[in-house]
Amino acid sequence: MALVVQKYGGSSVATVEKLRGVAARVAARRRAGDEVVVVVSAMGQTTDELLALARQVSPAPPRRELDMLLSAGERIAMALLAMALHEEGVEAKSFTGSQAGILTDEAHAAARIVEVRPVRVREELARGRVVIVAGYQGVSREKEVTTLGRGGSDTTAVALAAALGADCEIYSDVAGVFTADPRVVPAARRLPELGYEEMQELARAGARVLNAQAVEFARDRGIAIRARSTFGGSEETVVAARPAPGGVAGVAAAAAVALFELPERALPAARALLAGHGARELGLSAAGGHAALCLSLEDVHAPEALARDLAGAGAVEIGGRGIGALSAVGRGAGEPRVAAAVQEVLLGLGEPPMALFTGPLRVTACCGAARLPEAARKLHARLLE
Ligand code: ASP
Ligand code: MG
């Protein structure tokens, strides 16, 4: 008998029919004798729809209230999945993140898990029940509901697996981690295994298949993540401790990005502002007194307020909105030929890079976002085909 945490993404529970399919899979696993905790995301595009609703009411919604709103998506999915399991004849109980003991810091809409106390989860498992936990959410020490940033249900699953000593399986509509998003780059190949560090860089660079904070958590706790498709097949990617081989592991693109230039001495003040807005660093370079800072806006819900605060710290926004980032990830990312390939691909598409950031495992170029899918296909062809 094994204890397993299974996470199902939004596309896996997008309709009642798909939700029933997930319930049938979970029921079969339970009947086979395993103890099962299911972490579930909001159905389909629910989170995007809730965000759009918030924007109709306010261009800069308070982040606390956003969390009250966004956490509702997973709450709907967890209750419906529990009902579907009852229909399968399997006893199940659903819990919010707070009830499941997911404790976070206070950073609304981009919170980090600080501790997991799964007391009620353990109790229900001991009663033979399947436990369903709402992904992407927790509770702060001030008893406020928080959410973990987009894609955060993965982090819930890894954190629970670590706390329970369980295996961790992450199900989505793709059969693992690919050398690029297979929905954008048809030539992308599945990677049978991948090290934590490379996966983290891919996630940071915009690969949506696994969340960066989830991978960081898995690395720190030594949890292997098995990424698989909900819709069958034994294919998977195992993300675990593996030394990064040479070369390029994958390419990724991020659409919601902002680029700032600022005096190097203003960097500490500027960086101190980021967390409060949910902004994440995608690239940073400093030379000769000047610095460039590339930010992911995925969890920024009031970009004008972020730009205003950064301007106050002496930063100038370059290129405005509609910027994206194209990245290549792997130990080879530090080689000049890889940076050159990124530059040439973007130049060839008439989207000259506005800034280039190189690190040991990733090279990232900021560019206009309009032709990113094409850029990803071309870069993949150059580096991985
Ligand atoms: N529902 C949230 C999102 O769309 C969290 C998740 O899916 O992991 O980002
Ligand atoms: Mg996801």
Side-chain angles (χ1 to χ4, degrees), residues 7 9-10 41 150-154 170 172 208-211:
K7 179 254 169 176
S41 289
R150 299 306 304 270
S153 298
D154 294 345
I170 304 241
S172 69
R208 293 248 165 109
V209 57
L210 284 176
N211 174 283

Side-chain angles (χ1 to χ4, degrees), residues 7-10 40-48 70 73-74 135-136 149-155 211 298-299:
K7 179 254 169 176
Y8 291 92
V40 70
S41 289
M43 294 170 77
Q45 309 301 313
T46 303
T47 307
D48 288 326
L70 297 181
E74 271 67 14
Y136 173 59
R150 299 306 304 270
S153 298
D154 294 345
T155 314
N211 174 283
E298 201 179 21
D299 294 319

Side-chain angles (χ1 to χ4, degrees), residues 309-323:
D309 282 1
L310 283 174
V316 178
E317 187 167 5
I318 308 293
R321 292 293 116 77
I323 294 189

Side-chain angles (χ1 to χ4, degrees), residues 162-204:
L164 295 167
D167 295 335
C168 186
E169 301 171 356
I170 304 241
Y171 291 90
S172 69
D173 54 358
V174 290
V177 182
F178 284 61
T179 50
D181 183 343
R183 287 161 296 202
V184 176
V185 182
R189 298 182 310 272
R190 185 175 53 87
L191 296 158
E193 54 172 36
L194 193 62
Y196 293 122
E197 287 76 15
E198 284 171 296
M199 186 62 239
Q200 241 177 303
E201 292 300 338
L202 275 174
R204 283 195 189 117

Side-chain angles (χ1 to χ4, degrees), residues 15 64 101 138 177 227 230 242 274 288 296 310 342 346:
T15 61
R64 178 197 183 271
V177 182
T230 308
R242 301 267 186 283
L274 301 181
S296 162
L310 283 174
V342 172
L346 289 174

